[in-house]
Each structure stands twice: as structure tokens, then as C-alpha cells.
Amino acid sequence: MNRINFVDQEDASEELPEEFEPYVKEWFNSKFESLSPPQKFSFDLIHENKNSLICAPTGSGKTLSAFMSGLNELFMMGDEGELDDEVYVLYISPLRALGNDIERNLEEPLDGIKERAEEMGYDVPEVRSAVRTGDTTDAEKSKMLDKPPHILITTPETLGILINSPKFKEKLKNVKYTIIDEIHSISENKRGVHLSLSMERLQEMANNDFTRIGLSATQAPIDEIAKYLVGYDVEEDTSTTVTEYDEEIKAAEPAEEGEYDTRGCNIVDVAASKEIDLETVSPVKDLINEDPGIVNEAMYDKIHNLAQNHESTIIFTNTRSATERVVNNLKDRFPDHYNENIGAHHSSMSREKRLEVEEKLKKGEMKVGVTSTSLELGVDIGSVDLVIQIGSPKGVARGIQRVGRSGHQIGEKAKGKMIVNDRDDALECSVLTKCAKEDELDRIQIPENALDVLAQHMVGMACNHKWDLDHAFNVIRKSYCYRTLSRNNYDDVLKYLGGEYELEDQNVYRKIWIDRDENLLGRSGKMTRVIYMTNIGTIPDETGYDVKTRGEGNYVGTLDEEFLDRLTKGDIFTLGGSTYKFSYAKGMKVFVDPKPNASPTVPSWYSERLPLSYDLGVKIGEFRKQVADQLELGAGDDDIIQWIMHNYYLDENTAEAIYRYIKQQKQFLGKVSTHEDITVEKHIDEDNRQNFIFHTIYGRRTHDAMARIMAHLLQKRVSSNIGMVIDDNGFILITPRRPIDIEKLMDELASCDLEEELKDAVGKTELMKRRFRHVAGRSLMILRNYGGNSKTVGQQQMKGHFLLSTIRNEHSEDFPMVKETYREIMEDAMDIKHTKEVVEKIDGGDISFEVIDSDIPSPFSHNLLLQGSTDVVKMEDKKERLQNLHEQVMERIEEK
């Protein structure tokens, strides 16, 4: 029984709850003409202390939806003399800046309600709010302890500290409401896992069941996010001993979901209540044949004209470098229009610079703000009336989130333009636009059973008091993220924390003690609390790696860690305008060999650009199939172009570009690859390399897993390194010039243990080393801070390398934090779940595949082959090579 309920229209109310205080009603009615869509449902639900997940557009009044009942309760308690110096409303934000906005936005209702109450003769005290984050000074913290805010605004990491603060945690015991903002953004990563356990620990120490409220503009799968928000009721069976339980699940099978119920949640889904004016546009009529300089010029003309026709515009790019380039190009091309009124905003900039841009946007002093991802979430940026997206945002929810930054006032329309510069982007953005307009969101994946976060929290739990082992296990399983945690995995983490793996020679000491006879755990040593409080959190420290040539040791530049993740021995990449072959990494240095004029196998944007979601990939496959079917039936060019324009939201230039692209693929290869029909194209490239080009459309995370598994299988057969190129629209296996039986490889893929093969494939990679360091940091094996000293990333990396080697030599791959590293790679970094689905469908015949020899690469393969050249904004070099390939394709089509 899920107890997840979607509210119906009949549940809506046009007025504030009858029981609200008169002065609260007076204040609200004096400010607002009516209730907004989310408020019509949420005010009553939250007033009745029902857990609520509110999905509503930005600017629809959903923040007040969450706070209003809490504000009413706080003033009522004050009026009745029951408002103590405690926290009653807890607001959790993924961003510090968003928390600061909330505090500013609360000033008006807090002051306004108090003023109206006094006018009506009520004696109400001040209701206080405050922000507590990593930026809060010691003086402010001390003040909060003496006089706590009634409304506390914080982040997931700071909440983890507060529930372990001996004095402040006492101020949280009577919390009545918890609000998680931008819940979709938090729940899809380990910060969300950490928060989920913090919420269960807070509930365990609270004197009452607090009401949980989640907020977001884009949520899918919304029922799973609701379960994440509220967690589960777990019946504790004291009649079963730990030993008996162990025997029952000796095989370490996870507990079945459904053994217990969610706490219950009401979903208020009014996301479609705000109209989105969204269109995909091409700057030129012909995206493939037009001169690259003209395309670039037309794109900036289009951006400039759109910006000039609107008061305030945000431009989203997909990389930080592209953000800077757009700002510089607009200033250079239109100096009379852009100077101090345009600014960049991205994560590599200083906090002061970012705040300056935000303030100018709020005050209407900035005409154009250009960003990569950092303005996606709900920081108040004032009245922006247009969003321009350059290239695909790679996911429907992300596209809606970005476009939703415009039209913030209630009743205003969100307006966005997606500008495309190549045919893959045109196809992707057109399908994405349709999904956004029709509210078909891609689904997030919420991490489950993360053993590193579990270890960190178990140390925190032990710091607070002694725990019965069974009771601790059941509290943990109340979290959505650990509802299927096996007792064996729990016990393995206990063994690690209790020092039973004997890693003292690596300076990894026990953090807890375990008394098996008494069935208890507790804190080991006074320093454990300090270690926990100074190393809490899930976001790892990261830095750049110095790149040097082998032999001479010449300095080339730096690479970020995420880019290094992608590199395998022999990969070619571009740095500083030159190409290099990756050899190996040691410590914080990367060693390479110069390879002038070689084609890159890893694009320069790889570490920055977000991956295409699996769901959107399948939608693109469906679109390709629909067009291909019409071609098969003999429909005319104009008819299909009109069908595309009628069913999708794009201009004629884009519709024609997409249609010609798909038609040329069919004319050239005789077929169009879709989500149900994979084409494998065998091609010998200009560097005399044998390429097997897999035309798949399942998103980069799925392709990454598939490609690595297949390369690993192939490598064992041919005893030679297999190169890989991985992208959103497919992948390439680069093999020696010898006969390769792809049909046999696909049979091996279907019959192998995919998870074990992927583990073998990544076990010795840089990706494994780096991710293990992250896991070791979260699980407190590697301490980033100890005794007032901080370890550099290089020191942490070396420590991680020695730890991993020791564990593999003296223990096994079943050591809990090694297991977690593999889980994180397979489930979070890659997508083993959808990889399994695809392989099962190939094996079952639901997905067909065909291998085709091709002396000239087909249109769908061009971007994949040339992906290392540039990103979407700077495109001159890439366009020239694409045009050459396109000319060869057209000559071949004309010969047929």
C-alpha cells in the first residue's frame, strides 16, 4: 500500500482555511486577489498536517504555498503564549543563494502579518527567521543558539551538522514543518541520499511527526519523488534476533519494497498550469551547406534581435567556455548595445562576481545574463521575460527549468527560444520542445543503498548516543534511499566502522565500538565527533591535474578530474590547440605523448556538457521512426515537413533541416536507425583506423556502459586495446584492422553478466581510482580535515591509491567501500539499468541490429566522428569537415 495520493480538482479551495487567524487572512487578502493554483490545494493540506509534494511552475506562488500554514501556526502560538525559542519550520535548499532569497522574501509576510495583527488588537510576538549555512559566522551561530529562529533556512550539509550539535539539536526537537525546495535537484544525487538519512534521524529525535513538504517545478517520476520526501513506516519486530534475521537473508538479497508502507503523501501537480511559449529555431535555412561564418553571424544576429526585443534575457549555454564566448562575441559585434549591461554567470567565477550579476538582474540593470547551469534553480533574478537556449539542454526537465526562469509573475507566460546550429541539435531540441510543451518529463534516478553515505551517518548516529543495532537498522530503512538495504551490507559497514577489517597500518582507525552481546553500537573516542563534524558532506574536493609530456616533461596545461575519468590509455584529446595521446596518470600529473594532426577521441567539452537523458533519447528514436515510416509509405517532401511543423514547435528552417537529415540517412544507407533498430556501420577512417559506429539513441550514460562492456569483451578476444568514442547519439569502437564478428560480439553481450563485465572493464581505470577517493572521503576512510589541517586533493588521491591497493591485496572487492565505488560508477555515473533493458530487448528481438560496410560514413555518424573538434558555439572547423563529409554523401546518393 503506497498511500501516495494525487489531489483532484474537486479538492481545490478558493479561500484560505477557515481556521486561519483573522489577521493572517486579512494580510493575505490585502496582498493577493486570489489563491494561485498550488495554493488552492496546499493551504488546506498542510494546515491539516498532511505531507505534500507541490509541483508547480516558477513564479506560481508555491513557496508561499509551503510556508503559509507554518506562518499561521507560528503567529497563533505566539498569540497564545506558546511560541518558545525553538525551531518550528525547517526550510532546506540545495543552494546557499536560494536560502538567502527565501529569508529576504519572508520579510514581507512576517512584518506584514505582525503589523496587521497589531492593527486588529492582537498581541503577537516577533516571529524570527535566519539562515544557517557554511557562510554563517561563529558570532551568528552563537546568537542563534541563545535565541534560535522559529524558521530556520539551511542546506543539506548544515542540517547534517545541526542534528549532531549537542546543544542546537535540542532546538529542533519540536519542529513542525520541513520544506525541501528544488527537491528534484537534491534527490537525484548523493546530497539527496545524505538529506534523506538526516530527515530520518531528525524524525527519530523529534517529539512529534513533522509535516514534510517538497517543492519543485519539474518532477518525474513524481510518485517516487513523493516516496523519497516522506520515507517509510517500518514495523520493528523485536521477536526476531539479529542472528535469526541474518539467517533469513544470508544471500544478501535486498529487502522487498512493499514490506512496509510509505508515510503517505499528497501530490499537488499543477505544473501544466503555466503556459510555456517555447520554439526551436535555426538561424539559417540550410544548416549543413551554409558557410560556417554566415551561420555564426546569423546566430548572433538572432540572439541580439531577440534580446533587444525584450526587457531582460538569460542565455543558457552548455559549457562554461561557451558562456564566456557568447558574452565576448556579443560585446565585440554590438558594442553600442552591450557593455556593463551583460554578464557571465558560472561555477568557475568567484562568488562575489556571481552575486553581482544576480543583483543586477534583480534590479533590472542587466539586459543579458549568460550562464551554463548556475542560474537554473530558483534564485530570484527578477523579471526576466525571455530565455534563450543555445544547443540542447539534454533533458526535458532541465529545459523546462531553464525556460521557467522567465515570466516569474503569477499569470505570466514563460518564454523561450532554442537556437540550434547543427542537425543533431535541431532534432534533439525539436523533440525536447514538444515534450516540454506537453509535459512529458524525463525521469530522474534516485541513488539507492549508497554505503559511503550510510557509513558517514552511522558515525554521526554513534556520536549522539548508543544505539541498539536492530533499531539503528530500522531507522535507516525508513529512508527511501535505504528501504531495500540488506542486513549483510549494513553489517559490512558496521565491520568497517568498527575496525574489523584491520586497516590501522593505513591510518584508518575504528570510528565506533560494537558490542555484539548487548547488541549495541556507540562512538569510539572523543575525536570521532570532531572527525564527523569537520568532514561531513558528499561533495568531493576537486582540482586540476598538470599535464606533461613523457620524457621531456614539458608542461602542457591542466585537465579537470571529470575529464580524466573519461580517458583510457591511447585516447587522443585536444589541449591548448594541440592534440595529445594519453599514456598514464600518477599522483596529480597526467603524462601524454604529442600527436599532431591526430583526430581526437574525447571532445573538449566532455567533462562539462550534461548527458542526454535516456527518456529523451527514446523519444528522439520514436520521432526518427515516424519520419522514416512516412518516407517508406512514399509521402512527399512538403507533406512530411508540414507534418513535422504541425506536430512539433519549430520554425520552417528547422523542420526542413531535420527532414533532409533523416531523408539523406535513409537514401544513403537504405534505413534509419531508431530506438528499436540499431545500425552498426563499419568504416575505415582517414587515419586508417577500423571504426564500428553504433547508431544508438539511449543517451551518453547508457552508451558509456554499453561501449565499455563491448570493448572489454572484444579486447579479451583480439588481445589488443580497443578505442572508444562515446556520445549521446551513439558510440564507436575503434579496433585493429582485422576481421571482427559483430554478431558474435552481440551474442556475447547478451549472454554475459553485464555488471561483472563492467566492473572488470572499469576496475583498473582512472575513473575507478578517482571515484574510490570520493567514496573513501565520504565514508571517513580518507579525512579531508583532521586536527586543524586540510589534506590537498593530491594527498587525498595518493592516500586513496594506497588504500585501494591494500584493500584489494588483503581483503577483496567485496569490501563495502569498493562495492560502493562500483555501484556509483555503474548506477550514478553510467546507467547499467537501462543498459540491461536495451541488451535484453536486443536478445529478445525487440531491438534489431544490422552491420553495414560503409566506405563513406553516413550522415548520422558525422557528428559522432568529429565530436572532438569543438562545442556547439564555436563551430567553424567542425562545419568545414562536416560539409566535406556531406558532399561525399550527396555524391553517393546521386550515383544511386
Side-chain angles (χ1 to χ4, degrees), residues 6-7 9 36-39 41 53-62 65 184 214-222 225 267-277 396-397 399-401 403-404 406-407 411-414 435-442:
F6 286 82
V7 299
Q9 190 59 43
S36 69
Q39 293 167 357
F41 300 95
L53 179 63
I54 303 169
C55 185
T58 303
S60 62
K62 66 175 179 290
S65 299
H184 76 286
L215 302 176
S216 178
T218 53
Q219 301 180 35
I222 195 166
I225 294 175
I267 298 175
V268 178
D269 186 0
V270 291
S273 63
K274 184 171 183 177
E275 189 179 348
I276 299 177
D277 177 1
V396 181
I400 293 173
Q401 193 79 29
V403 174
S406 64
E412 280 189 13
K413 188 186 293 186
C435 291
K437 293 273 285 184
E438 298 175 2
D439 206 30
E440 294 184 22
L441 302 183
D442 30 26

Side-chain angles (χ1 to χ4, degrees), residues 14 60 80 111 140 201 239 284 328 337 346 390 471 529 579 618 652 678 682 745 753 775 808 848 870:
E14 297 298 329
S60 62
E80 295 176 358
D111 293 343
E140 289 170 325
R201 291 178 56 198
S239 65
V284 294
N328 291 334
H337 293 87
H346 57 73
I390 301 177
H471 180 57
R529 180 182 297 279
T579 46
V618 169
E652 190 169 357
I678 297 171
K682 178 183 172 185
L745 179 61
D753 184 322
V775 167
R808 282 174 160 166
S848 59
T870 69

Side-chain angles (χ1 to χ4, degrees), residues 13-17 20-40 42-43 60-69 71-72 108-110 112-114 116-117 120 410:
S13 173
E14 297 298 329
E15 297 178 349
L16 292 169
F20 267 24
E21 297 300 291
Y23 49 85
V24 172
K25 289 183 180 179
E26 282 290 326
W27 172 82
F28 185 90
N29 291 330
S30 69
K31 294 291 296 181
F32 306 100
E33 292 182 6
S34 61
L35 274 59
S36 69
Q39 293 167 357
K40 291 176 182 179
S42 59
F43 282 171
S60 62
K62 66 175 179 290
T63 304
L64 197 54
S65 299
F67 274 107
M68 202 66 218
S69 291
L71 294 175
N72 180 76
E108 184 179 4
L110 288 175
I113 292 172
K114 187 174 190 303
R116 188 54 59 104
M120 295 175 68
I410 292 174

